[in-house]
mmCIF file with all atom_site columns, all heavy atoms in Angstrom:
data_model
loop_
_atom_site.group_PDB
_atom_site.id
_atom_site.type_symbol
_atom_site.label_atom_id
_atom_site.label_alt_id
_atom_site.label_comp_id
_atom_site.label_asym_id
_atom_site.label_entity_id
_atom_site.label_seq_id
_atom_site.pdbx_PDB_ins_code
_atom_site.Cartn_x
_atom_site.Cartn_y
_atom_site.Cartn_z
_atom_site.occupancy
_atom_site.B_iso_or_equiv
_atom_site.pdbx_formal_charge
_atom_site.auth_seq_id
_atom_site.auth_comp_id
_atom_site.auth_asym_id
_atom_site.auth_atom_id
_atom_site.pdbx_PDB_model_num
ATOM 1   N N   . GLY A 1 26  ? -6.551  -8.041 5.600  1.00 0.00 ? 26  GLY A N   1
ATOM 2   C CA  . GLY A 1 26  ? -6.817  -6.938 6.500  1.00 0.00 ? 26  GLY A CA  1
ATOM 3   C C   . GLY A 1 26  ? -7.460  -5.728 5.853  1.00 0.00 ? 26  GLY A C   1
ATOM 4   O O   . GLY A 1 26  ? -7.605  -4.687 6.487  1.00 0.00 ? 26  GLY A O   1
ATOM 5   N N   . TRP A 1 27  ? -7.849  -5.844 4.561  1.00 0.00 ? 27  TRP A N   1
ATOM 6   C CA  . TRP A 1 27  ? -8.332  -4.651 3.875  1.00 0.00 ? 27  TRP A CA  1
ATOM 7   C C   . TRP A 1 27  ? -9.838  -4.433 3.961  1.00 0.00 ? 27  TRP A C   1
ATOM 8   O O   . TRP A 1 27  ? -10.342 -3.394 3.557  1.00 0.00 ? 27  TRP A O   1
ATOM 9   C CB  . TRP A 1 27  ? -7.924  -4.666 2.401  1.00 0.00 ? 27  TRP A CB  1
ATOM 10  C CG  . TRP A 1 27  ? -8.110  -5.960 1.665  1.00 0.00 ? 27  TRP A CG  1
ATOM 11  C CD1 . TRP A 1 27  ? -7.127  -6.832 1.295  1.00 0.00 ? 27  TRP A CD1 1
ATOM 12  C CD2 . TRP A 1 27  ? -9.335  -6.529 1.172  1.00 0.00 ? 27  TRP A CD2 1
ATOM 13  N NE1 . TRP A 1 27  ? -7.651  -7.906 0.615  1.00 0.00 ? 27  TRP A NE1 1
ATOM 14  C CE2 . TRP A 1 27  ? -9.007  -7.751 0.520  1.00 0.00 ? 27  TRP A CE2 1
ATOM 15  C CE3 . TRP A 1 27  ? -10.670 -6.131 1.214  1.00 0.00 ? 27  TRP A CE3 1
ATOM 16  C CZ2 . TRP A 1 27  ? -9.965  -8.565 -0.067 1.00 0.00 ? 27  TRP A CZ2 1
ATOM 17  C CZ3 . TRP A 1 27  ? -11.626 -6.955 0.632  1.00 0.00 ? 27  TRP A CZ3 1
ATOM 18  C CH2 . TRP A 1 27  ? -11.263 -8.151 0.009  1.00 0.00 ? 27  TRP A CH2 1
ATOM 19  N N   . THR A 1 28  ? -10.579 -5.401 4.498  1.00 0.00 ? 28  THR A N   1
ATOM 20  C CA  . THR A 1 28  ? -12.041 -5.292 4.475  1.00 0.00 ? 28  THR A CA  1
ATOM 21  C C   . THR A 1 28  ? -12.536 -4.051 5.215  1.00 0.00 ? 28  THR A C   1
ATOM 22  O O   . THR A 1 28  ? -13.268 -3.224 4.670  1.00 0.00 ? 28  THR A O   1
ATOM 23  C CB  . THR A 1 28  ? -12.683 -6.550 5.068  1.00 0.00 ? 28  THR A CB  1
ATOM 24  O OG1 . THR A 1 28  ? -12.213 -7.683 4.350  1.00 0.00 ? 28  THR A OG1 1
ATOM 25  C CG2 . THR A 1 28  ? -14.188 -6.472 4.979  1.00 0.00 ? 28  THR A CG2 1
ATOM 26  N N   . GLY A 1 29  ? -12.145 -3.932 6.483  1.00 0.00 ? 29  GLY A N   1
ATOM 27  C CA  . GLY A 1 29  ? -12.580 -2.784 7.282  1.00 0.00 ? 29  GLY A CA  1
ATOM 28  C C   . GLY A 1 29  ? -12.080 -1.472 6.714  1.00 0.00 ? 29  GLY A C   1
ATOM 29  O O   . GLY A 1 29  ? -12.771 -0.449 6.766  1.00 0.00 ? 29  GLY A O   1
ATOM 30  N N   . ARG A 1 30  ? -10.880 -1.494 6.152  1.00 0.00 ? 30  ARG A N   1
ATOM 31  C CA  . ARG A 1 30  ? -10.300 -0.279 5.584  1.00 0.00 ? 30  ARG A CA  1
ATOM 32  C C   . ARG A 1 30  ? -11.108 0.201  4.382  1.00 0.00 ? 30  ARG A C   1
ATOM 33  O O   . ARG A 1 30  ? -11.375 1.388  4.223  1.00 0.00 ? 30  ARG A O   1
ATOM 34  C CB  . ARG A 1 30  ? -8.848  -0.553 5.185  1.00 0.00 ? 30  ARG A CB  1
ATOM 35  C CG  . ARG A 1 30  ? -8.073  0.694  4.787  1.00 0.00 ? 30  ARG A CG  1
ATOM 36  C CD  . ARG A 1 30  ? -6.624  0.356  4.519  1.00 0.00 ? 30  ARG A CD  1
ATOM 37  N NE  . ARG A 1 30  ? -5.855  1.512  4.115  1.00 0.00 ? 30  ARG A NE  1
ATOM 38  C CZ  . ARG A 1 30  ? -4.586  1.474  3.760  1.00 0.00 ? 30  ARG A CZ  1
ATOM 39  N NH1 . ARG A 1 30  ? -3.948  0.312  3.764  1.00 0.00 ? 30  ARG A NH1 1
ATOM 40  N NH2 . ARG A 1 30  ? -3.942  2.568  3.394  1.00 0.00 ? 30  ARG A NH2 1
ATOM 41  N N   . LEU A 1 31  ? -11.503 -0.729 3.533  1.00 0.00 ? 31  LEU A N   1
ATOM 42  C CA  . LEU A 1 31  ? -12.292 -0.360 2.361  1.00 0.00 ? 31  LEU A CA  1
ATOM 43  C C   . LEU A 1 31  ? -13.650 0.204  2.761  1.00 0.00 ? 31  LEU A C   1
ATOM 44  O O   . LEU A 1 31  ? -14.146 1.147  2.145  1.00 0.00 ? 31  LEU A O   1
ATOM 45  C CB  . LEU A 1 31  ? -12.479 -1.567 1.441  1.00 0.00 ? 31  LEU A CB  1
ATOM 46  C CG  . LEU A 1 31  ? -11.275 -1.953 0.582  1.00 0.00 ? 31  LEU A CG  1
ATOM 47  C CD1 . LEU A 1 31  ? -11.542 -3.255 -0.157 1.00 0.00 ? 31  LEU A CD1 1
ATOM 48  C CD2 . LEU A 1 31  ? -10.930 -0.856 -0.410 1.00 0.00 ? 31  LEU A CD2 1
ATOM 49  N N   . GLN A 1 32  ? -14.251 -0.373 3.793  1.00 0.00 ? 32  GLN A N   1
ATOM 50  C CA  . GLN A 1 32  ? -15.547 0.135  4.248  1.00 0.00 ? 32  GLN A CA  1
ATOM 51  C C   . GLN A 1 32  ? -15.426 1.543  4.832  1.00 0.00 ? 32  GLN A C   1
ATOM 52  O O   . GLN A 1 32  ? -16.373 2.311  4.793  1.00 0.00 ? 32  GLN A O   1
ATOM 53  C CB  . GLN A 1 32  ? -16.157 -0.820 5.266  1.00 0.00 ? 32  GLN A CB  1
ATOM 54  C CG  . GLN A 1 32  ? -16.618 -2.128 4.634  1.00 0.00 ? 32  GLN A CG  1
ATOM 55  C CD  . GLN A 1 32  ? -17.347 -3.014 5.625  1.00 0.00 ? 32  GLN A CD  1
ATOM 56  O OE1 . GLN A 1 32  ? -16.811 -3.362 6.675  1.00 0.00 ? 32  GLN A OE1 1
ATOM 57  N NE2 . GLN A 1 32  ? -18.573 -3.375 5.295  1.00 0.00 ? 32  GLN A NE2 1
ATOM 58  N N   . LYS A 1 33  ? -14.249 1.862  5.355  1.00 0.00 ? 33  LYS A N   1
ATOM 59  C CA  . LYS A 1 33  ? -14.006 3.207  5.868  1.00 0.00 ? 33  LYS A CA  1
ATOM 60  C C   . LYS A 1 33  ? -13.798 4.201  4.724  1.00 0.00 ? 33  LYS A C   1
ATOM 61  O O   . LYS A 1 33  ? -14.246 5.340  4.785  1.00 0.00 ? 33  LYS A O   1
ATOM 62  C CB  . LYS A 1 33  ? -12.768 3.203  6.774  1.00 0.00 ? 33  LYS A CB  1
ATOM 63  C CG  . LYS A 1 33  ? -12.400 4.568  7.334  1.00 0.00 ? 33  LYS A CG  1
ATOM 64  C CD  . LYS A 1 33  ? -11.129 4.491  8.167  1.00 0.00 ? 33  LYS A CD  1
ATOM 65  C CE  . LYS A 1 33  ? -10.717 5.884  8.662  1.00 0.00 ? 33  LYS A CE  1
ATOM 66  N NZ  . LYS A 1 33  ? -9.439  5.835  9.427  1.00 0.00 ? 33  LYS A NZ  1
ATOM 67  N N   . ILE A 1 34  ? -13.142 3.740  3.671  1.00 0.00 ? 34  ILE A N   1
ATOM 68  C CA  . ILE A 1 34  ? -12.799 4.623  2.556  1.00 0.00 ? 34  ILE A CA  1
ATOM 69  C C   . ILE A 1 34  ? -14.007 4.921  1.677  1.00 0.00 ? 34  ILE A C   1
ATOM 70  O O   . ILE A 1 34  ? -14.228 6.068  1.276  1.00 0.00 ? 34  ILE A O   1
ATOM 71  C CB  . ILE A 1 34  ? -11.677 4.001  1.692  1.00 0.00 ? 34  ILE A CB  1
ATOM 72  C CG1 . ILE A 1 34  ? -10.402 3.842  2.526  1.00 0.00 ? 34  ILE A CG1 1
ATOM 73  C CG2 . ILE A 1 34  ? -11.403 4.854  0.457  1.00 0.00 ? 34  ILE A CG2 1
ATOM 74  C CD1 . ILE A 1 34  ? -9.346  2.984  1.851  1.00 0.00 ? 34  ILE A CD1 1
ATOM 75  N N   . PHE A 1 35  ? -14.799 3.876  1.370  1.00 0.00 ? 35  PHE A N   1
ATOM 76  C CA  . PHE A 1 35  ? -15.872 4.022  0.386  1.00 0.00 ? 35  PHE A CA  1
ATOM 77  C C   . PHE A 1 35  ? -17.251 4.038  1.051  1.00 0.00 ? 35  PHE A C   1
ATOM 78  O O   . PHE A 1 35  ? -17.620 3.108  1.772  1.00 0.00 ? 35  PHE A O   1
ATOM 79  C CB  . PHE A 1 35  ? -15.802 2.903  -0.643 1.00 0.00 ? 35  PHE A CB  1
ATOM 80  C CG  . PHE A 1 35  ? -14.534 2.928  -1.457 1.00 0.00 ? 35  PHE A CG  1
ATOM 81  C CD1 . PHE A 1 35  ? -13.570 1.953  -1.293 1.00 0.00 ? 35  PHE A CD1 1
ATOM 82  C CD2 . PHE A 1 35  ? -14.312 3.935  -2.380 1.00 0.00 ? 35  PHE A CD2 1
ATOM 83  C CE1 . PHE A 1 35  ? -12.394 1.973  -2.035 1.00 0.00 ? 35  PHE A CE1 1
ATOM 84  C CE2 . PHE A 1 35  ? -13.146 3.973  -3.126 1.00 0.00 ? 35  PHE A CE2 1
ATOM 85  C CZ  . PHE A 1 35  ? -12.176 2.993  -2.955 1.00 0.00 ? 35  PHE A CZ  1
ATOM 86  N N   . LEU A 1 38  ? -19.826 1.050  0.663  1.00 0.00 ? 38  LEU A N   1
ATOM 87  C CA  . LEU A 1 38  ? -19.521 -0.268 1.223  1.00 0.00 ? 38  LEU A CA  1
ATOM 88  C C   . LEU A 1 38  ? -19.753 -0.345 2.733  1.00 0.00 ? 38  LEU A C   1
ATOM 89  O O   . LEU A 1 38  ? -19.579 -1.407 3.328  1.00 0.00 ? 38  LEU A O   1
ATOM 90  C CB  . LEU A 1 38  ? -18.064 -0.648 0.931  1.00 0.00 ? 38  LEU A CB  1
ATOM 91  C CG  . LEU A 1 38  ? -17.668 -0.783 -0.545 1.00 0.00 ? 38  LEU A CG  1
ATOM 92  C CD1 . LEU A 1 38  ? -16.206 -1.184 -0.664 1.00 0.00 ? 38  LEU A CD1 1
ATOM 93  C CD2 . LEU A 1 38  ? -18.551 -1.794 -1.257 1.00 0.00 ? 38  LEU A CD2 1
ATOM 94  N N   . SER A 1 98  ? -15.623 8.421  1.004  1.00 0.00 ? 98  SER A N   1
ATOM 95  C CA  . SER A 1 98  ? -16.239 8.980  2.208  1.00 0.00 ? 98  SER A CA  1
ATOM 96  C C   . SER A 1 98  ? -15.931 10.469 2.308  1.00 0.00 ? 98  SER A C   1
ATOM 97  O O   . SER A 1 98  ? -14.977 10.965 1.707  1.00 0.00 ? 98  SER A O   1
ATOM 98  C CB  . SER A 1 98  ? -15.713 8.261  3.450  1.00 0.00 ? 98  SER A CB  1
ATOM 99  O OG  . SER A 1 98  ? -16.041 6.887  3.394  1.00 0.00 ? 98  SER A OG  1
ATOM 100 N N   . TYR A 1 101 ? -12.346 11.856 2.936  1.00 0.00 ? 101 TYR A N   1
ATOM 101 C CA  . TYR A 1 101 ? -11.439 11.769 1.792  1.00 0.00 ? 101 TYR A CA  1
ATOM 102 C C   . TYR A 1 101 ? -11.800 12.801 0.734  1.00 0.00 ? 101 TYR A C   1
ATOM 103 O O   . TYR A 1 101 ? -10.920 13.393 0.099  1.00 0.00 ? 101 TYR A O   1
ATOM 104 C CB  . TYR A 1 101 ? -11.454 10.361 1.208  1.00 0.00 ? 101 TYR A CB  1
ATOM 105 C CG  . TYR A 1 101 ? -10.855 9.337  2.133  1.00 0.00 ? 101 TYR A CG  1
ATOM 106 C CD1 . TYR A 1 101 ? -11.669 8.526  2.929  1.00 0.00 ? 101 TYR A CD1 1
ATOM 107 C CD2 . TYR A 1 101 ? -9.484  9.191  2.230  1.00 0.00 ? 101 TYR A CD2 1
ATOM 108 C CE1 . TYR A 1 101 ? -11.115 7.599  3.798  1.00 0.00 ? 101 TYR A CE1 1
ATOM 109 C CE2 . TYR A 1 101 ? -8.922  8.261  3.099  1.00 0.00 ? 101 TYR A CE2 1
ATOM 110 C CZ  . TYR A 1 101 ? -9.734  7.466  3.884  1.00 0.00 ? 101 TYR A CZ  1
ATOM 111 O OH  . TYR A 1 101 ? -9.182  6.563  4.745  1.00 0.00 ? 101 TYR A OH  1
ATOM 112 N N   . SER A 1 200 ? -2.045  9.678  2.329  1.00 0.00 ? 200 SER A N   1
ATOM 113 C CA  . SER A 1 200 ? -2.109  8.224  2.226  1.00 0.00 ? 200 SER A CA  1
ATOM 114 C C   . SER A 1 200 ? -2.406  7.831  0.784  1.00 0.00 ? 200 SER A C   1
ATOM 115 O O   . SER A 1 200 ? -2.858  8.672  -0.011 1.00 0.00 ? 200 SER A O   1
ATOM 116 C CB  . SER A 1 200 ? -3.209  7.679  3.139  1.00 0.00 ? 200 SER A CB  1
ATOM 117 O OG  . SER A 1 200 ? -4.486  8.121  2.686  1.00 0.00 ? 200 SER A OG  1
ATOM 118 N N   . PRO A 1 201 ? -2.186  6.574  0.401  1.00 0.00 ? 201 PRO A N   1
ATOM 119 C CA  . PRO A 1 201 ? -2.518  6.144  -0.960 1.00 0.00 ? 201 PRO A CA  1
ATOM 120 C C   . PRO A 1 201 ? -3.977  6.403  -1.327 1.00 0.00 ? 201 PRO A C   1
ATOM 121 O O   . PRO A 1 201 ? -4.278  6.849  -2.442 1.00 0.00 ? 201 PRO A O   1
ATOM 122 C CB  . PRO A 1 201 ? -2.204  4.641  -0.937 1.00 0.00 ? 201 PRO A CB  1
ATOM 123 C CG  . PRO A 1 201 ? -1.146  4.495  0.101  1.00 0.00 ? 201 PRO A CG  1
ATOM 124 C CD  . PRO A 1 201 ? -1.505  5.507  1.161  1.00 0.00 ? 201 PRO A CD  1
ATOM 125 N N   . GLU A 1 202 ? -4.895  6.153  -0.378 1.00 0.00 ? 202 GLU A N   1
ATOM 126 C CA  . GLU A 1 202 ? -6.310  6.351  -0.691 1.00 0.00 ? 202 GLU A CA  1
ATOM 127 C C   . GLU A 1 202 ? -6.651  7.838  -0.828 1.00 0.00 ? 202 GLU A C   1
ATOM 128 O O   . GLU A 1 202 ? -7.518  8.211  -1.629 1.00 0.00 ? 202 GLU A O   1
ATOM 129 C CB  . GLU A 1 202 ? -7.205  5.695  0.357  1.00 0.00 ? 202 GLU A CB  1
ATOM 130 C CG  . GLU A 1 202 ? -6.922  6.028  1.797  1.00 0.00 ? 202 GLU A CG  1
ATOM 131 C CD  . GLU A 1 202 ? -5.963  5.056  2.471  1.00 0.00 ? 202 GLU A CD  1
ATOM 132 O OE1 . GLU A 1 202 ? -5.066  4.521  1.795  1.00 0.00 ? 202 GLU A OE1 1
ATOM 133 O OE2 . GLU A 1 202 ? -6.112  4.850  3.693  1.00 0.00 ? 202 GLU A OE2 1
#
Side-chain angles (χ1 to χ4, degrees):
W27 45 254
T28 304
R30 189 175 179 184
L31 283 173
Q32 290 186 303
K33 178 183 177 183
I34 297 168
F35 297 110
L38 298 181
S98 299
Y101 292 99
S200 66
E202 51 268 32

